[in-house]
Amino acid sequence: MPLVVLCGRPGSGKSRRAAELREALGGPERRAHVVAEAEGGRAALRAEVERLLSRRDVVIVDAGNELRSIRYELYCAARQAGTARCLLHCAGGSGRPDEPPFEAPEPGNRWDRPLFTVHGEEPLPLAAIRAALFESAPPPPHRATRCQPLQSGGFLQHLDRVTQEVLAAVMAAQRSGAQPGELVRVPGVAEGLVLNRPVSVAELSRLRRQFISYTKMQPSDENLPQLASMFLQYLSRSIQ
């Protein structure tokens, strides 16, 4: 049940590469499933990946996965399933101004590695991809799957406080008359949030609970400085 996550701008050849991977990685001993972006958006994509990861097959995610937070969620899903994974970055694409922002993968981020990058028509590094998926040891059981506390109280308190502050800033901006398309700022965070429509407290609270649930899967002190940014990116992608 290895996972291959594709990422890249529109027009970079992700669907063609996904088809190549399905042909190369599937066979009599295993099936290769391609999960593409659909009407249900990010949540539906993640749910389908999680469903298929329960099988002894290869799962290939043919989607832009342009935000770090999306790739982080898929990384957590693979860790939760105890399966190997890799990221394939399809470089290039149109890069039009009306496209969503693309946050290029960085090998230093554990959710962006092992990382393979292909440009244009160059061949896929299939030998290296197969080694990453089928020859590497599966990830060790994470403490999120063990019968012990998920993380320190300090981490949980910080996560709770940061997400509450982001929600408070969003609601305050809406009460102050922020219009759709305006940038909502959170004190101390470089990134902002553009809301295309009004969002209720109930919806924001639900998204906050989902974000906290996924973040608990992979708790780490390395995430502390990025939690507010990751939550803003999660909101940006989830609120359609």
Side-chain angles (χ1 to χ4, degrees):
M1 48 184 177
L3 177 66
V4 184
V5 177
L6 278 71
C7 73
R9 298 181 184 277
S12 59
K14 296 184 297 297
S15 294
R16 175 170 56 85
R17 297 299 191 175
E20 291 180 36
L21 287 168
R22 180 172 56 187
E23 180 69 21
L25 301 178
E29 70 281 6
R30 71 177 73 88
R31 294 178 61 191
H33 304 273
V34 175
V35 180
E37 288 181 301
E39 184 177 343
R42 176 175 178 170
L45 178 76
R46 184 178 63 242
E48 180 66 5
V49 169
E50 290 174 347
R51 183 183 72 82
L52 292 170
L53 279 175
S54 65
R55 305 177 179 179
R56 295 180 59 84
D57 296 327
V58 178
V59 180
I60 302 164
V61 184
D62 176 16
N65 297 314
E66 63 273 5
L67 299 179
R68 289 190 300 267
S69 59
I70 304 173
R71 301 194 295 269
Y72 177 74
E73 288 179 9
L74 295 172
Y75 165 82
C76 289
R79 286 296 301 269
Q80 188 77 357
T83 186
R85 61 173 294 283
C86 70
L87 180 67
L88 178 66
H89 175 205
C90 298
S94 55
R96 300 190 307 271
D98 59 336
E99 293 174 0
F102 179 71
E103 298 173 345
E106 300 177 8
N109 295 332
R110 61 188 180 282
W111 55 87
D112 283 340
R113 63 176 187 258
L115 171 64
F116 304 99
T117 301
V118 290
H119 300 79
E121 300 298 322
E122 70 175 293
L124 289 172
L126 289 174
I129 291 174
R130 287 193 182 98
L133 297 178
F134 306 124
E135 299 175 17
S136 61
H142 193 269
R143 53 184 166 182
T145 64
R146 299 173 183 168
C147 297
Q148 62 182 44
L150 293 178
Q151 58 277 110
S152 69
F155 184 94
L156 285 174
Q157 291 173 5
H158 187 80
L159 177 62
D160 181 76
R161 178 178 59 81
V162 164
T163 53
Q164 288 281 20
E165 289 174 353
V166 170
L167 258 60
V170 173
M171 294 308 302
Q174 291 190 122
R175 287 194 299 270
S176 299
Q179 298 299 311
E182 289 187 20
L183 185 67
V184 175
R185 289 290 187 185
V186 177
V189 184
E191 290 88 348
L193 173 65
V194 176
L195 293 176
N196 295 321
R197 59 174 175 83
V199 188
S200 67
V201 175
E203 183 177 0
L204 287 171
S205 298
R206 175 178 58 81
L207 292 172
R208 175 177 176 268
R209 290 193 298 270
Q210 290 177 354
F211 176 78
I212 288 175
S213 176
Y214 283 107
T215 304
K216 284 180 179 178
M217 292 181 184
Q218 187 64 27
S220 171
D221 290 342
E222 297 174 14
N223 294 334
L224 289 175
Q226 305 180 46
L227 284 176
S229 296
M230 291 171 64
F231 186 37
L232 282 170
Q233 293 161 11
Y234 185 86
L235 291 176
S236 176
R237 181 69 175 178
S238 300
I239 298 172
Q240 302 293 336

